[in-house]
Structure formats: structure tokens, C-alpha cells
Amino acid sequence: MNPETKGPFRSADSGFGLIEIVISMFLLGLLAVAFLPLLVNSVRTTVTNSSIATATQLVNQEMKKAQLAGDTCALITAYGSTSVPVVSPDSRGVSYQPAHVVGPCPLAYPGTVPVTVSVTVVGSTLAPVTATTRIFVKAA
């Protein structure tokens, strides 16, 4: 048996006191506050990345529509003249505006027609997601 622990008096190092607990809580609070900007920044980045990913999916869908429009210059031009409606808001309330531009028909056939598809996030300062391709056409 330890002689220091006998009787009503105990050693001063026998456990945590109130001051140690308050200091440790203060230090943990400082650490939490230090990580708060990192957490806020990561949430913003996640929202931005989600919007860009959705816009990229819409660009891919519009590219697929351009490829399926047909293999003549008249059909591709007709695809280019159609207006694309705003995509309804997703679960976060973000809307997207697709657009497409069809370039000039080739002088000789068979040839290719350039098609550019872009999607803008409505009400955002994000740059539009854009893709360009060439579609093979057999005739005018």
C-alpha cells in the first residue's frame, strides 16, 4: 500500500481537476474553430463540383442527340435550329441552360459538320461546360 494515499489526504496528482478540464475544452474548441473554414470551403467546393458534373452529363446528352440527329447536312442543320429549353431545377434547386451551335456544311460530301454544345448553370458565375465535335454527313 502506498503511504501517500493513506488517510483523508491524497496526492496532488491523483486526477484531473476542474481547471485541467476547462483548459482541455478550450483547446478542443480552438481546434474546432481552426477547422471550420476548411469545412465551409469543402462544402462550397462540393456544391460547385456537383453543378459541373450535372452540366457535363447534360452536355453528353446533347452530344448524343446531335449524333442521332441524322447523317445529312439538312438534318444536322435542323437540329441546330431547334431551341433547347431550360432544364428544370434539380434536387438542389439549380437550373441548367443547354445550347448548341452547328457549323457550316462542308463544300464536298462526304464531310463533317462542327457542332458545339454548352451548358450554363443558371444564376451562377461558373463558366459554361462546353464540348465540340464533328459529325459525319453523307449528303446535303
Side-chain angles (χ1 to χ4, degrees):
M1 209 165 176
N2 191 351
E4 294 178 10
T5 59
K6 281 186 183 179
F9 300 105
R10 296 207 167 149
S11 170
D13 294 335
S14 64
F16 284 111
L18 186 60
I19 293 175
E20 288 90 356
I21 292 173
V22 169
I23 290 173
S24 65
M25 289 178 64
F26 176 73
L27 290 174
L28 285 174
L30 279 177
L31 284 173
V33 169
F35 282 109
L36 190 62
L38 177 66
L39 179 65
V40 169
N41 193 23
S42 67
V43 168
R44 286 183 186 154
T45 302
T46 301
V47 168
T48 300
N49 288 342
S50 177
S51 296
I52 291 172
T54 303
T56 302
Q57 288 176 341
L58 292 171
V59 164
N60 288 335
Q61 288 175 3
E62 286 299 315
M63 282 291 189
K64 183 66 81 176
K65 288 178 187 176
Q67 291 170 350
L68 297 175
D71 58 357
T72 65
C73 194
L75 291 172
I76 298 298
T77 304
Y79 162 78
S81 65
T82 60
S83 63
V84 184
V86 174
V87 175
S88 60
D90 60 8
S91 61
R92 295 176 294 122
V94 179
S95 298
Y96 302 89
Q97 176 61 60
H100 49 261
V101 176
V102 175
C105 291
L107 298 175
Y109 294 96
T112 59
V113 176
V115 175
T116 301
V117 176
S118 64
V119 174
T120 305
V121 180
V122 177
S124 174
T125 59
L126 291 174
V129 176
T130 304
T132 302
T133 189
R134 292 187 161 277
I135 296 181
F136 180 76
V137 289
K138 296 179 183 177

